[in-house]
């Protein structure tokens, strides 16, 4: 096959952080619509449009929702608009924890204990949630395509082919 350009559209899978309990206890946007019951008190980890969209509709459905933000909302988007969106969401009931990252997830009875660290102050804490949704990006599914044998360079950590 020859062509000037090829499109490799393989799809992606949600990215999990390398943290204790992440894969075992947390869900992703791929799972949220398959839950057998309402999610209850929910933590959305990440500040991407997927995280904010999910937090927004869960808040509208009267769930208690918190968004954990490492740095800024909607990286790569207009920041004035991103701040407006965050303000709107807060005024309508979504809680935000800024400059904070999770450090561990553990099962405590029927809840998920989220251990966290504030990046600005260094303060560590924890809080229980019924559901934790990870929205930390997606990795391209290129691992089994044989790209290396075809001479195609790609990022081994994300699966993305530089363009």
């Amino acid at each position: 096959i020859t062509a000037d350009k090829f499109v490799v559209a393989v799809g992606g899978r949600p990215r999990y952080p390398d943290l204790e309990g992440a894969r075992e206890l947390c869900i992703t946007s791929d799972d949220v619509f398959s839950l057998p019951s309402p999610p209850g008190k929910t933590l959305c980890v990440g500040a991407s449009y997927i995280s904010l969209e999910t937090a927004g509709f869960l808040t509208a459905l009267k769930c208690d929702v918190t968004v954990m933000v490492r740095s800024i909302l909607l990286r790569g988007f207009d920041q004035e608009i991103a701040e407006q969106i965050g303000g709107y969401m807060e005024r309508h009931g979504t809680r935000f924890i800024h400059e904070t990252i999770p450090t561990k997830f553990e099962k405590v009875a029927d809840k998920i204990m989220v251990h966290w660290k504030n990046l600005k102050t260094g303060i560590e804490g924890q809080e229980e949630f019924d559901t934790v949704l990870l929205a930390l990006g997606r990795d391209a599914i290129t691992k089994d395509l044989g790209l290396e044998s075809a001479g195609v360079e790609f990022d081994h950590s994300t699966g993305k082919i530089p363009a």
Side-chain angles (χ1 to χ4, degrees), residues 34-70:
S34 300
L35 294 173
S37 58
K41 182 179 177 185
T42 302
L43 174 67
C44 294
V45 179
S48 65
Y49 65 88
I50 292 173
S51 181
L52 298 185
E53 179 181 49
T54 303
F57 76 72
L58 290 177
T59 299
L61 292 171
K62 306 299 182 206
C63 293
D64 178 359
V65 181
T66 301
V67 176
M68 184 174 284
V69 181
R70 180 189 57 180

Short mmCIF file of all heavy atoms in Angstrom, two decimals, residues 34-70:
data_model
loop_
_atom_site.label_atom_id
_atom_site.label_comp_id
_atom_site.label_asym_id
_atom_site.label_seq_id
_atom_site.Cartn_x
_atom_site.Cartn_y
_atom_site.Cartn_z
N SER A 34 -22.89 2.38 32.59
CA SER A 34 -23.22 0.97 32.83
C SER A 34 -23.39 0.66 34.31
O SER A 34 -23.51 -0.51 34.67
CB SER A 34 -22.11 0.07 32.26
OG SER A 34 -21.98 0.29 30.88
N LEU A 35 -23.39 1.67 35.15
CA LEU A 35 -23.53 1.43 36.58
C LEU A 35 -24.91 0.85 36.88
O LEU A 35 -25.91 1.31 36.33
CB LEU A 35 -23.32 2.73 37.37
CG LEU A 35 -21.93 3.35 37.32
CD1 LEU A 35 -21.94 4.71 38.02
CD2 LEU A 35 -20.92 2.41 37.96
N PRO A 36 -24.99 -0.12 37.78
CA PRO A 36 -26.28 -0.74 38.10
C PRO A 36 -27.18 0.14 38.97
O PRO A 36 -28.37 -0.11 39.08
CB PRO A 36 -25.89 -2.02 38.84
CG PRO A 36 -24.55 -1.72 39.43
CD PRO A 36 -23.88 -0.78 38.46
N SER A 37 -26.60 1.18 39.60
CA SER A 37 -27.37 2.07 40.46
C SER A 37 -26.73 3.45 40.42
O SER A 37 -25.60 3.60 39.94
CB SER A 37 -27.40 1.52 41.89
OG SER A 37 -26.09 1.37 42.39
N PRO A 38 -27.42 4.47 40.94
CA PRO A 38 -26.83 5.82 40.95
C PRO A 38 -25.48 5.82 41.66
O PRO A 38 -25.28 5.08 42.63
CB PRO A 38 -27.86 6.65 41.70
CG PRO A 38 -29.16 5.92 41.48
CD PRO A 38 -28.77 4.46 41.48
N PRO A 39 -24.54 6.68 41.22
CA PRO A 39 -23.18 6.64 41.75
C PRO A 39 -23.00 7.20 43.15
O PRO A 39 -21.96 7.00 43.77
CB PRO A 39 -22.37 7.44 40.73
CG PRO A 39 -23.37 8.38 40.14
CD PRO A 39 -24.67 7.61 40.11
N GLY A 40 -24.00 7.92 43.67
CA GLY A 40 -23.85 8.50 45.01
C GLY A 40 -22.81 9.60 45.02
O GLY A 40 -22.58 10.29 44.03
N LYS A 41 -22.15 9.76 46.17
CA LYS A 41 -21.12 10.78 46.31
C LYS A 41 -19.95 10.41 45.40
O LYS A 41 -19.33 9.36 45.58
CB LYS A 41 -20.66 10.87 47.76
CG LYS A 41 -19.63 11.94 48.02
CD LYS A 41 -19.22 11.99 49.48
CE LYS A 41 -18.14 13.02 49.70
NZ LYS A 41 -17.66 13.00 51.10
N THR A 42 -19.67 11.27 44.42
CA THR A 42 -18.73 10.94 43.35
C THR A 42 -17.57 11.92 43.29
O THR A 42 -17.76 13.13 43.38
CB THR A 42 -19.45 10.93 41.99
OG1 THR A 42 -20.52 9.98 42.04
CG2 THR A 42 -18.52 10.58 40.85
N LEU A 43 -16.37 11.37 43.11
CA LEU A 43 -15.18 12.17 42.83
C LEU A 43 -14.78 11.96 41.39
O LEU A 43 -14.59 10.82 40.96
CB LEU A 43 -14.02 11.75 43.74
CG LEU A 43 -12.67 12.44 43.45
CD1 LEU A 43 -12.75 13.94 43.76
CD2 LEU A 43 -11.55 11.79 44.24
N CYS A 44 -14.66 13.04 40.63
CA CYS A 44 -14.14 13.00 39.26
C CYS A 44 -12.70 13.51 39.33
O CYS A 44 -12.47 14.67 39.70
CB CYS A 44 -14.96 13.87 38.33
SG CYS A 44 -16.65 13.31 38.06
N VAL A 45 -11.76 12.64 39.03
CA VAL A 45 -10.35 13.01 39.08
C VAL A 45 -9.93 13.44 37.68
O VAL A 45 -9.98 12.67 36.73
CB VAL A 45 -9.47 11.83 39.55
CG1 VAL A 45 -8.00 12.24 39.58
CG2 VAL A 45 -9.92 11.34 40.92
N GLY A 46 -9.52 14.70 37.55
CA GLY A 46 -9.11 15.25 36.27
C GLY A 46 -9.94 16.47 35.94
O GLY A 46 -11.05 16.64 36.45
N ALA A 47 -9.41 17.32 35.07
CA ALA A 47 -10.08 18.57 34.73
C ALA A 47 -10.29 18.69 33.22
O ALA A 47 -10.38 19.77 32.67
CB ALA A 47 -9.27 19.75 35.25
N SER A 48 -10.37 17.53 32.56
CA SER A 48 -10.60 17.50 31.12
C SER A 48 -12.08 17.73 30.82
O SER A 48 -12.92 17.75 31.72
CB SER A 48 -10.20 16.13 30.57
OG SER A 48 -11.08 15.13 31.13
N TYR A 49 -12.40 17.87 29.55
CA TYR A 49 -13.82 18.05 29.21
C TYR A 49 -14.63 16.82 29.57
O TYR A 49 -15.80 16.92 29.95
CB TYR A 49 -14.01 18.46 27.75
CG TYR A 49 -13.61 17.43 26.72
CD1 TYR A 49 -14.50 16.48 26.29
CD2 TYR A 49 -12.32 17.42 26.18
CE1 TYR A 49 -14.14 15.52 25.35
CE2 TYR A 49 -11.95 16.48 25.25
CZ TYR A 49 -12.86 15.53 24.83
OH TYR A 49 -12.49 14.59 23.91
N ILE A 50 -14.03 15.64 29.53
CA ILE A 50 -14.76 14.43 29.91
C ILE A 50 -15.09 14.47 31.40
O ILE A 50 -16.21 14.17 31.82
CB ILE A 50 -13.97 13.16 29.54
CG1 ILE A 50 -13.91 13.01 28.02
CG2 ILE A 50 -14.58 11.92 30.20
CD1 ILE A 50 -13.02 11.89 27.53
N SER A 51 -14.14 14.85 32.22
CA SER A 51 -14.37 14.95 33.66
C SER A 51 -15.44 15.99 33.97
O SER A 51 -16.37 15.73 34.75
CB SER A 51 -13.07 15.30 34.38
OG SER A 51 -13.27 15.38 35.77
N LEU A 52 -15.31 17.17 33.37
CA LEU A 52 -16.26 18.24 33.66
C LEU A 52 -17.65 17.94 33.13
O LEU A 52 -18.66 18.23 33.79
CB LEU A 52 -15.75 19.58 33.12
CG LEU A 52 -14.43 20.07 33.71
CD1 LEU A 52 -14.11 21.46 33.17
CD2 LEU A 52 -14.44 20.05 35.22
N GLU A 53 -17.73 17.33 31.96
CA GLU A 53 -19.03 16.94 31.41
C GLU A 53 -19.72 15.93 32.34
O GLU A 53 -20.90 16.06 32.65
CB GLU A 53 -18.84 16.34 30.02
CG GLU A 53 -20.11 15.86 29.37
CD GLU A 53 -19.85 15.25 28.01
OE1 GLU A 53 -18.95 14.40 27.88
OE2 GLU A 53 -20.57 15.63 27.07
N THR A 54 -18.96 14.94 32.79
CA THR A 54 -19.52 13.93 33.67
C THR A 54 -19.94 14.55 35.00
O THR A 54 -21.05 14.29 35.50
CB THR A 54 -18.50 12.79 33.91
OG1 THR A 54 -18.12 12.25 32.64
CG2 THR A 54 -19.10 11.70 34.77
N ALA A 55 -19.09 15.38 35.57
CA ALA A 55 -19.43 16.06 36.82
C ALA A 55 -20.67 16.92 36.65
O ALA A 55 -21.55 16.94 37.54
CB ALA A 55 -18.25 16.92 37.28
N GLY A 56 -20.79 17.58 35.52
CA GLY A 56 -21.95 18.44 35.27
C GLY A 56 -23.25 17.69 35.20
O GLY A 56 -24.24 18.07 35.84
N PHE A 57 -23.28 16.58 34.47
CA PHE A 57 -24.57 15.88 34.38
C PHE A 57 -24.88 15.13 35.66
O PHE A 57 -26.05 15.01 36.04
CB PHE A 57 -24.70 15.01 33.12
CG PHE A 57 -23.98 13.71 33.08
CD1 PHE A 57 -24.39 12.62 33.84
CD2 PHE A 57 -22.90 13.53 32.23
CE1 PHE A 57 -23.73 11.41 33.78
CE2 PHE A 57 -22.24 12.32 32.15
CZ PHE A 57 -22.65 11.25 32.94
N LEU A 58 -23.87 14.66 36.39
CA LEU A 58 -24.15 14.01 37.68
C LEU A 58 -24.67 15.03 38.70
O LEU A 58 -25.58 14.73 39.48
CB LEU A 58 -22.91 13.29 38.21
CG LEU A 58 -22.50 12.04 37.43
CD1 LEU A 58 -21.20 11.47 38.01
CD2 LEU A 58 -23.60 10.99 37.43
N THR A 59 -24.11 16.24 38.69
CA THR A 59 -24.61 17.30 39.56
C THR A 59 -26.06 17.62 39.21
O THR A 59 -26.90 17.76 40.09
CB THR A 59 -23.73 18.56 39.46
OG1 THR A 59 -22.40 18.23 39.88
CG2 THR A 59 -24.27 19.68 40.33
N ALA A 60 -26.36 17.71 37.91
CA ALA A 60 -27.73 17.99 37.48
C ALA A 60 -28.70 16.89 37.89
O ALA A 60 -29.88 17.15 38.12
CB ALA A 60 -27.77 18.18 35.96
N LEU A 61 -28.18 15.67 38.04
CA LEU A 61 -29.01 14.55 38.49
C LEU A 61 -29.05 14.46 40.02
O LEU A 61 -29.49 13.47 40.58
CB LEU A 61 -28.48 13.24 37.90
CG LEU A 61 -28.65 13.09 36.39
CD1 LEU A 61 -27.90 11.86 35.88
CD2 LEU A 61 -30.14 13.01 36.04
N LYS A 62 -28.58 15.51 40.68
CA LYS A 62 -28.62 15.66 42.14
C LYS A 62 -27.64 14.77 42.89
O LYS A 62 -27.82 14.47 44.07
CB LYS A 62 -30.04 15.44 42.68
CG LYS A 62 -31.10 16.30 42.04
CD LYS A 62 -30.81 17.77 42.25
CE LYS A 62 -31.92 18.62 41.64
NZ LYS A 62 -31.47 19.94 41.27
N CYS A 63 -26.56 14.35 42.23
CA CYS A 63 -25.50 13.63 42.92
C CYS A 63 -24.57 14.64 43.59
O CYS A 63 -24.44 15.77 43.13
CB CYS A 63 -24.69 12.78 41.94
SG CYS A 63 -25.62 11.41 41.22
N ASP A 64 -23.93 14.23 44.67
CA ASP A 64 -22.93 15.03 45.36
C ASP A 64 -21.61 14.80 44.61
O ASP A 64 -21.06 13.70 44.66
CB ASP A 64 -22.84 14.56 46.81
CG ASP A 64 -21.79 15.30 47.63
OD1 ASP A 64 -21.10 16.19 47.08
OD2 ASP A 64 -21.66 14.97 48.82
N VAL A 65 -21.12 15.82 43.89
CA VAL A 65 -19.98 15.64 43.00
C VAL A 65 -18.84 16.60 43.34
O VAL A 65 -19.06 17.79 43.55
CB VAL A 65 -20.38 15.85 41.52
CG1 VAL A 65 -19.19 15.65 40.59
CG2 VAL A 65 -21.52 14.92 41.13
N THR A 66 -17.63 16.04 43.36
CA THR A 66 -16.41 16.81 43.56
C THR A 66 -15.48 16.54 42.39
O THR A 66 -15.38 15.40 41.94
CB THR A 66 -15.71 16.40 44.87
OG1 THR A 66 -16.61 16.63 45.96
CG2 THR A 66 -14.42 17.17 45.09
N VAL A 67 -14.80 17.58 41.90
CA VAL A 67 -13.79 17.43 40.85
C VAL A 67 -12.43 17.75 41.46
O VAL A 67 -12.25 18.81 42.06
CB VAL A 67 -14.07 18.38 39.66
CG1 VAL A 67 -12.96 18.28 38.61
CG2 VAL A 67 -15.42 18.09 39.04
N MET A 68 -11.49 16.81 41.31
CA MET A 68 -10.12 17.03 41.79
C MET A 68 -9.28 17.52 40.62
O MET A 68 -9.14 16.82 39.62
CB MET A 68 -9.55 15.73 42.37
CG MET A 68 -8.18 15.89 42.99
SD MET A 68 -7.61 14.39 43.80
CE MET A 68 -8.58 14.42 45.31
N VAL A 69 -8.70 18.71 40.77
CA VAL A 69 -7.98 19.39 39.70
C VAL A 69 -6.51 19.52 40.08
O VAL A 69 -6.19 20.14 41.10
CB VAL A 69 -8.56 20.80 39.46
CG1 VAL A 69 -7.84 21.51 38.33
CG2 VAL A 69 -10.06 20.74 39.22
N ARG A 70 -5.62 18.94 39.28
CA ARG A 70 -4.18 19.05 39.55
C ARG A 70 -3.67 20.46 39.29
O ARG A 70 -2.94 21.02 40.08
CB ARG A 70 -3.41 18.06 38.68
CG ARG A 70 -1.91 18.13 38.90
CD ARG A 70 -1.17 17.32 37.89
NE ARG A 70 -1.54 17.81 36.57
CZ ARG A 70 -1.08 17.35 35.44
NH1 ARG A 70 -0.25 16.35 35.42
NH2 ARG A 70 -1.46 17.85 34.29
#
